[in-house]
Amino acid sequence: MGHHDVSAPMSSAEWSTAACRLAYETNAAIIFVEWNFGRDMAVLPLETSWETLQRSGEIPEDDLVPRIDPVRAKQGKLLRAEPIAQQMVQDKVRFRGVLTDLEREWATWQPTDPDSPGRIDASCILVYGLIPEAHKGAIVHAPLPQAPTPGTIRQAPPSAGLYGRRISK
């Protein structure tokens, strides 16, 4: 698998054509699209671009368009990215290949940055599509200190790990 990052600012015709070319090139069975922002608006351009590439002979007529699968992501870039970052830190998610721009974005993006992290967003949608359980919760901060109450032991849920509190949908 080589370098397959075709991320760039594009019109809907350009991104859908680039996505279809990439799907054909990599023999993809599924194209994940973000459900929150786009829904049907992502499906039609992909289907149209696939048909256009078939008419031009770039994709054989008998190749079926990959399944287009919408993925619902958490609102807000930090909430969306945090569970995936946690999966990466725990070595449960790895990206294969030379994806320098994606790695740089993951390593340097801050929630206060004015630029939208497009590669982070795309990789989150991919992971949520492939590993739905990664979307179940996010560790957002250590629990707030609690005064001890006589006779009770306060514990975080086991799913939150040692220092976190779990947030679910």
Side-chain angles (χ1 to χ4, degrees):
M1 190 99 151
H3 178 80
H4 293 296
D5 182 352
V6 294
S7 303
M10 298 182 224
S11 69
S12 66
E14 291 168 329
W15 72 253
S16 59
T17 300
C20 287
R21 282 188 177 123
L22 182 60
Y24 174 70
E25 197 180 301
T26 60
N27 199 26
I30 300 172
I31 298 174
F32 292 112
V33 296
E34 186 176 356
W35 181 256
N36 304 38
F37 303 103
R39 298 181 181 129
D40 300 347
M41 292 184 289
V43 175
L44 183 60
L46 288 166
E47 290 173 342
T48 302
S49 291
W50 190 270
E51 291 167 6
T52 300
L53 291 168
Q54 285 182 316
R55 278 196 303 278
S56 73
E58 197 170 328
I59 294 177
E61 287 284 333
D62 58 344
D63 276 22
L64 297 175
V65 65
R67 186 174 91 216
I68 301 168
D69 196 358
V71 173
R72 191 178 305 272
K74 287 180 168 65
Q75 296 293 337
K77 300 192 183 298
L78 180 61
L79 281 178
R80 184 178 313 162
E82 196 169 37
I84 307 307
Q86 182 180 0
Q87 297 281 317
M88 287 196 270
V89 167
Q90 294 174 351
D91 202 28
K92 293 180 179 177
V93 168
R94 293 182 193 175
F95 296 108
R96 183 174 171 206
V98 179
L99 300 167
T100 309
D101 292 333
L102 174 64
E103 291 170 6
R104 183 179 307 113
E105 200 168 282
W106 270 107
T108 62
W109 181 76
Q110 296 292 316
T112 55
D113 289 351
D115 294 330
S116 179
R119 288 179 177 87
I120 290 176
D121 282 346
S123 60
C124 286
I125 296 300
L126 175 64
V127 174
Y128 286 146
L130 294 173
I131 311 171
E133 56 271 14
H135 193 29
K136 298 288 190 246
I139 307 304
V140 293
H141 59 75
L144 299 173
Q146 300 284 326
T149 308
T152 62
I153 299 173
R154 185 169 170 80
Q155 292 182 332
S159 59
L162 283 176
Y163 300 108
R165 180 166 56 207
R166 185 176 178 124
I167 293 182
S168 296
K169 282 171 64 170

